[in-house]
Amino acid sequence: WFARESGIVESWKTPTERGEMRDAGVAGVGNWRDRVATRVQPVAEPQARITVKAKSFDADQDEALNLSPDWEITGVLDIIGEVPRPDGSTAVAVIDHKASRKSYSETDIVRSAQPPIYRAGTSIDLFQFHVLRTDLKSPKTVVSSHFVQPSSTAHILRRCELARRAIARCYHSGDWMPNRNQNLCSRRWCGFWEQCEQTHGGRVAP
């Protein structure tokens, strides 16, 4: 029903393509059930909500912008689970599921903001991307692991603070207005669309 109503079916040219997409999806779910789920024992609820509390590095600048020196980041992570080590023991890891790209290199993980923010919210050093590869003849899940250093967490919190201050400056000066022509300016992607319409007028696209 969803595929039909959303127009996805029309984007597939032939019944064969639709069948291949269905088979890949079924195979991907089966791969997760048989090869991954049996090795991951949840120790926290999936979709766990986290809150990272931080204190400003420069309270004077915050005061000038009417910002509180105490701020926080809230978010939702996929799962915290026990994962196997090479020696047969287990370790607790933050696991993030991906299906939008083929793989994550060590460089990709180091550059990602997710691992250090999740470490700040959970105090768990081990982070894993579980990437579902459906582009292969036989779908499989590729696991990329990374131990997050405390310095990475401090760095990302500093970047978040600088971004927070820059947004506040633009808001107070009026130099930064919502870009309604941007693809992500949509009720589907932005949870602040109602407030945006009330503050800046106009209409946010569905």
Side-chain angles (χ1 to χ4, degrees):
W1 176 88
F2 171 77
R4 182 180 68 252
E5 294 299 317
S6 62
I8 293 177
V9 170
E10 284 70 17
S11 68
W12 297 328
K13 297 178 181 179
T14 66
T16 299
E17 291 179 343
R18 295 196 290 271
E20 290 175 349
M21 178 64 75
R22 177 201 62 207
D23 294 342
V26 171
V29 173
N31 173 68
W32 169 263
R33 179 196 63 206
D34 298 335
R35 301 184 184 182
V36 180
T38 57
R39 297 185 292 109
V40 176
Q41 176 61 47
V43 294
E45 290 186 8
Q47 297 292 323
R49 186 168 298 278
I50 62 170
T51 299
V52 179
K53 295 185 179 295
K55 185 172 287 291
S56 175
F57 290 94
D58 193 332
D60 291 338
Q61 287 198 45
D62 284 348
E63 184 177 359
L65 294 168
N66 295 320
L67 292 175
S68 169
D70 298 306
W71 55 282
E72 62 184 37
I73 302 171
T74 59
V76 177
L77 55 82
D78 285 350
I79 194 171
I80 298 173
E82 291 182 350
V83 297
R85 294 178 182 270
D87 62 3
S89 63
T90 60
V92 177
V94 174
I95 300 170
D96 192 77
H97 304 297
K98 297 292 185 184
S100 59
R101 60 185 297 171
K102 295 181 180 180
S103 63
Y104 277 80
S105 66
E106 178 71 12
T107 301
D108 292 328
I109 300 178
V110 170
R111 290 178 176 175
S112 174
Q114 284 181 273
I117 289 178
Y118 288 165
R119 181 189 182 280
T122 64
S123 299
I124 297 174
D125 296 330
L126 181 58
F127 179 90
Q128 291 187 342
F129 277 127
H130 287 200
V131 185
L132 181 61
R133 294 281 303 273
T134 59
D135 59 313
L136 304 175
K137 186 174 181 180
S138 178
K140 68 176 183 178
T141 299
V142 178
V143 177
S144 300
S145 298
H146 178 67
F147 281 95
V148 186
Q149 301 300 318
S151 58
S152 296
T153 298
H155 176 69
I156 196 64
L157 292 180
R158 177 66 170 169
R159 288 175 57 189
C160 289
E161 180 178 322
L162 293 174
R164 169 178 175 260
R165 203 170 289 139
I167 291 170
R169 288 195 186 98
C170 291
Y171 180 81
H172 288 304
S173 66
D175 292 337
W176 184 37
M177 299 292 288
N179 180 5
R180 296 285 170 77
N181 295 320
Q182 216 276 344
N183 290 336
L184 295 180
C185 183
S186 164
R187 298 184 184 189
R188 291 178 297 171
W189 297 107
C190 180
F192 300 95
W193 66 267
E194 188 172 8
Q195 178 182 340
C196 185
E197 289 183 346
Q198 293 173 355
T199 304
H200 301 288
R203 183 173 181 273
V204 176

